[in-house]
């Protein structure tokens, strides 16, 4: 079983989004038969069998083993991955294109970069799986809390300068046999946790845990800047 599988076919994406099939996929993190799934999910075995066939047809589940029980052969399935990501390639005609309006201060452009990242890495993973090879990649995930907007701006400027310096140092357009790699660096606020639900009778919410969002979460930080122009919806 893969840790993550990328869904690139529209029909497979549609199959994965069906509510019953999502439940079956989650249950098949551990191998199971149609009978076992039916009992666990409270569904008719015939219905489970139908959905299993559809999931298998799209490569989302696979046969793990067959067991003989008297005159009956029981088929045991498992999910092909622990989790799935739907590639933007599924909506190729309307997927975001980061080359259309590159803007370092635009959250929508950052989202377009992320979309391209999923699409390109997904294609690499698919090809590597077929060739039974690994994908050479590198990632960094960090969290930083800024004391002020000025600190955030200085950090972004320093990060941009450092990346530009490294790219200039190692990029070799004429290297024979060289392989092009893409570097994507993003900076965004971490969305606030949902506010606790209000009590139906008293109208009060449960006490918030330390560090959780208040009942009325503030809007995303805009540094009290004037209204942004096109593409500037999330200035530093």
């Amino acid at each position: 079983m893969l840790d993550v599988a990328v869904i690139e076919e529209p029909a497979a994406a549609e199959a994965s989004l069906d509510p019953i099939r999502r439940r079956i996929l989650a249950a098949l993190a551990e191998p199971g038969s149609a009978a076992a799934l039916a009992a666990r999910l409270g569904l008719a075995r015939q219905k489970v069998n139908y959905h299993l066939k559809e999931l298998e047809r799209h490569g989302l589940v696979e046969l793990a083993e067959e067991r003989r029980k008297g005159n009956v052969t029981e088929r045991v399935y498992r999910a092909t991955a622990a989790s799935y990501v739907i590639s933007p390639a599924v909506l190729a005609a309307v997927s975001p294109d980061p080359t259309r309006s590159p803007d370092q201060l635009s959250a929508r452009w950052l989202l377009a970069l992320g979309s391209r990242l999923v699409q390109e890495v997904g294609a690499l993973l698919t090809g590597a799986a077929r060739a039974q090879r690994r994908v050479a990649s590198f990632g960094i995930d960090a969290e930083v809390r800024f004391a002020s907007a000025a600190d955030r701006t200085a950090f972004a400027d320093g990060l941009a300068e450092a990346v530009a310096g490294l790219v200039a140092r190692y990029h070799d357009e004429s290297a024979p046999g060289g392989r092009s790699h893409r570097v994507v660096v993003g900076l965004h606020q971490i969305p606030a946790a949902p506010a606790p639900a209000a009590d139906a009778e008293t109208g009060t919410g449960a006490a918030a845990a330390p560090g959780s969002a208040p009942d009325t979460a503030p809007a995303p930080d805009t540094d009290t800047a004037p209204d942004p122009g096109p593409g500037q919806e999330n200035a530093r």
Side-chain angles (χ1 to χ4, degrees), residues 107 110 144 186-191:
L110 181 60
V144 55
L187 177 66
H188 63 84
Q189 285 179 254
I190 300 175

Side-chain angles (χ1 to χ4, degrees), residues 141-159:
D141 179 29
E143 181 178 332
V144 55
R145 185 177 181 90
F146 299 110
S148 67
D151 284 351
R152 184 176 60 200
T153 298
F155 177 90
D157 289 341
L159 184 61

